[in-house]
Amino acid sequence: MRDVIALDAVAHGVPEVLVGDDALDARVRWLHVSDSAGVARLLDGGELLLSTGSAWPADPADLRRFIGELADAGLSGVVLELGAHHRYVPSAVVEAATQRHLALIVLHREVKFVTLTEAVHSMIIAGQNDALRARDEVRERFTALVLRGSPVDFIVHQLAQTLGAPVILENLAHEVVAAEVPLAMEEELFTDWELRSRSAHRRSERRREPEGPGDDEWLIVPVEARGIRWGSLIALPGPDHPAGRTAVLEQGAIALAVGRLADGDADEWGRIGRRRLLDGLLAGRFAGVGGAAARLEAAGLPLRGARLYGVVVSGAPVSAESAAAAAKTLRGRAIVGTAPDGIAPPATAMLLSIPADASFDDPAALAFSRALVEPGEASERVVVSVGRGAEGVDAALISLHEAIDLARGRRRRAGRGLQLRRAENRPLVQLVTALRDDHRVLEHAERMLAPIIEHDLSRGGDLLDVLEAMLTHPGNRTAAASASHLSRSVFYQRIALLEELLGVDLDDGETQTALHLALLVRRSAGR
């Protein structure tokens, strides 16, 4: 309506808006010229009525009824030309239009209706042509994404960029698979996501307006193909798009559906989305603990009333499916991510959530670990590192970093089999993880190890590995020499060189502890 009023053809009539504000945001599909009192039955909705009012009812009650019928028919607004038939607008018309939120504009000067009609229809047709071109551009863009095999998170990202609004992809269980949402919005948006999403779906099903949701409503489009529905795309309120926001979201849904068909029965959506979520948490890409917690729960990982464990598996690949199956034996859920650098590949990091009353003692942890690894997938040795049990996201991230620090440690035994490491049994690892960002601890590690690192870098030496082997097997030089793959005589030569470089006695317990702490700090930093 605002665009119509701004036309030069309308301006010649000296328009005055009697009922406007939000009513002027109504879309105009066509211009209909009529003076008939029964024109409502000829309308399909979205028209703008242009009239002189010559055949309108005279009785105020009939006028109110007439305006009500126009509003019920979906009329966008009324333009009444004052002059021969109406010198002023009846108060009943203004009152009824205000009550029904129907735009009402009067023209104080006579205009040629044919000129005004041509101008409005030209504008509408030009807008439709622009929309068609925009839809072609959007279709080409998302078709290209499909042909390139773009992953689900990138398609959701492109949708958010195109619409200029947050976009969320959820599965049928209302779990968030991928989301492109400002970090500052995550806590408010994703808290109690399932309830909010179900409520939005119910409102969407009841909504009958063909033009889509209002400014405060979510736009929801199903993602389905061949009669199978896999989830929904949700766009939060945002600016208009030339192609139409619904058309853009539908093109994204088509691209996702084609990709889902190509993936077959595998839960590729969930795997990519949850991996990206956990990787973001490890990298610190979240605005606050509340937002991270809401995002995790929206992805299907229970936090309230749950015990959380950081887990890292090295020596064998772990699929998202096997992690989910292993967690299910504990009545829990798990999300899988990429293990950071410094851990012997293949390696996988994960966050495990189990009910607070579920046992996760050593036998349960071993059974869980065995369920993670597919038969025949293990390398020489599989090491499963488990952080301490935690409540809340902050503590869960500490548990995850404890597991990472454990996984970066030297393997104690050779041969095949499963080795379980728990942070509960490694107090020094717990200390290093808790102080990993303290500059004083970092300075301690650099100061103590600097002579060894400089020697190894300048001569291509292995003193740092020898020191780690010795500290891994304190009091057992034979096992330490074997772990460093050196003969006893060469190993003792290395120990003597270490003592000379550091100016310490490596048999001293306090010195061993300080050096062990320095090595753990260096390993925790991923070096």
Side-chain angles (χ1 to χ4, degrees):
M1 287 293 298
R2 299 182 191 276
D3 295 334
V4 171
I5 298 172
L7 289 172
D8 290 340
V10 178
H12 290 318
V14 190
E16 178 185 0
V17 178
L18 299 184
V19 179
D21 297 328
D22 294 343
L24 295 179
D25 295 328
R27 296 180 181 275
V28 177
R29 187 177 60 84
W30 205 243
L31 183 65
H32 191 88
V33 179
S34 176
D35 289 330
S36 170
V39 68
R41 68 178 183 272
L42 304 176
L43 302 176
D44 291 326
E47 296 94 345
L48 173 62
L49 179 63
L50 177 60
S51 178
T52 64
S54 61
W56 285 10
D59 183 73
D62 292 338
L63 275 174
R64 291 189 184 92
R65 188 182 308 108
F66 170 66
I67 295 298
E69 291 172 351
L70 295 178
D72 291 339
L75 194 73
S76 297
V78 177
V79 176
L80 176 64
E81 183 186 77
L82 301 181
H85 301 288
H86 287 279
R87 306 184 74 85
Y88 60 89
V89 182
S91 59
V93 172
V94 178
E95 292 169 2
T98 302
Q99 291 173 358
R100 298 304 301 268
H101 206 60
L102 182 67
L104 176 61
I105 299 98
V106 296
L107 300 178
H108 291 279
R109 182 185 297 168
E110 184 180 56
V111 296
K112 290 183 179 180
F113 278 13
V114 65
T115 301
L116 200 152
T117 301
E118 288 176 349
V120 173
H121 287 176
S122 295
M123 181 185 69
I124 292 172
I125 292 171
Q128 291 172 345
N129 288 335
D130 290 342
L132 289 173
R133 283 192 293 270
R135 288 177 186 178
D136 285 341
E137 292 174 0
V138 170
R139 187 183 303 109
E140 290 175 3
R141 182 184 312 165
F142 284 97
T143 299
L145 293 178
V146 172
L147 295 176
R148 288 199 300 266
S150 297
V152 56
D153 58 328
F154 187 71
I155 293 176
V156 171
H157 170 76
Q158 289 298 307
L159 278 171
Q161 292 291 311
T162 303
L163 291 172
V167 174
I168 301 99
L169 172 65
E170 63 174 17
N171 60 22
L172 293 179
H174 298 282
E175 295 174 350
V176 174
V177 175
E180 193 68 27
V181 176
L183 294 177
M185 287 183 60
E186 286 191 340
E187 182 173 5
E188 178 183 358
L189 178 63
F190 291 123
T191 299
D192 297 323
W193 170 261
E194 182 179 352
L195 293 176
R196 298 189 67 190
S197 175
R198 290 184 184 277
S199 176
H201 276 268
R202 287 194 295 269
R203 291 196 305 271
S204 178
E205 290 169 0
R206 290 196 302 265
R207 196 180 300 123
R208 290 181 293 180
E209 290 84 348
E211 299 300 328
D215 291 340
D216 60 342
E217 298 286 355
W218 294 359
L219 178 61
I220 302 176
V221 169
V223 180
E224 57 188 1
R226 296 180 181 173
I228 300 174
R229 181 168 179 171
W230 292 299
S232 300
L233 271 173
I234 300 173
L236 271 59
D240 290 337
H241 190 277
R245 300 181 75 238
T246 301
V248 173
L249 208 60
E250 286 173 346
Q251 285 300 315
I254 292 171
L256 289 169
V258 173
R260 192 67 173 84
L261 286 172
D263 292 337
D265 295 331
D267 184 20
E268 189 72 5
W269 283 5
R271 184 184 69 80
I272 292 176
R274 287 186 284 270
R275 180 177 295 276
R276 187 183 183 209
L277 174 59
L278 187 58
D279 292 351
L281 287 172
L282 281 173
R285 292 195 297 268
F286 57 93
V289 173
R295 183 71 177 83
L296 284 169
E297 289 203 311
L301 189 77
L303 297 184
R304 285 170 282 191
R307 196 81 172 152
L308 304 169
Y309 292 88
V311 180
V312 175
V313 181
S314 59
V318 176
S319 66
E321 291 76 17
S322 62
K328 193 174 181 180
T329 64
L330 298 168
R331 297 181 288 128
R333 299 285 299 270
I335 59 173
V336 173
T338 305
D341 295 336
I343 301 175
T348 304
M350 70 181 70
L351 193 57
L352 171 67
S353 169
I354 62 175
D357 60 351
S359 173
F360 199 57
D361 54 12
D362 284 355
L366 281 169
F368 169 77
S369 301
R370 294 189 185 98
L372 286 173
V373 183
E374 297 288 340
E377 292 289 342
S379 60
E380 291 185 355
R381 174 160 296 278
V382 178
V383 178
V384 178
S385 304
V386 181
R388 288 175 295 169
E391 295 179 3
V393 173
D394 265 342
L397 283 174
I398 292 174
S399 176
L400 195 52
H401 282 295
E402 287 176 348
I404 292 169
D405 290 343
L406 283 172
R408 283 175 171 152
R410 179 181 291 272
R411 299 182 180 187
R412 290 180 178 273
R413 301 189 301 274
R416 300 177 67 85
L418 178 68
Q419 177 183 337
L420 177 67
R421 297 178 178 176
R422 303 199 69 156
E424 297 166 358
N425 305 325
R426 303 287 297 277
L428 201 54
V429 169
Q430 297 176 31
L431 176 63
V432 169
T433 303
L435 300 177
R436 65 197 313 269
D437 295 324
D438 191 311
H439 69 91
R440 293 168 296 184
V441 177
L442 296 173
E443 289 170 359
H444 161 77
E446 291 178 1
R447 183 176 62 254
M448 288 213 72
L449 299 177
I452 305 174
I453 295 171
E454 290 173 4
H455 178 276
D456 283 351
L457 289 174
S458 62
R459 304 190 183 187
D462 59 355
L463 291 183
L464 204 61
D465 291 337
V466 171
L467 178 62
E468 184 174 359
M470 190 207 77
L471 294 174
T472 303
H473 303 274
N476 190 341
R477 296 290 173 88
T478 301
S482 176
S484 60
H485 306 290
L486 299 173
S487 66
R488 282 178 59 86
S489 60
V490 174
F491 180 76
Y492 277 104
Q493 291 175 10
R494 298 285 200 279
I495 293 298
L497 181 56
L498 281 169
E499 289 180 329
E500 180 182 345
L501 287 171
L502 297 174
V504 297
D505 178 6
L506 291 181
D507 287 325
D508 178 69
E510 184 175 342
T511 299
Q512 288 185 4
T513 302
L515 285 169
H516 199 175
L517 178 64
L519 278 174
L520 288 174
V521 170
R522 177 177 172 80
R523 187 191 306 150
S524 180
R527 290 180 284 180

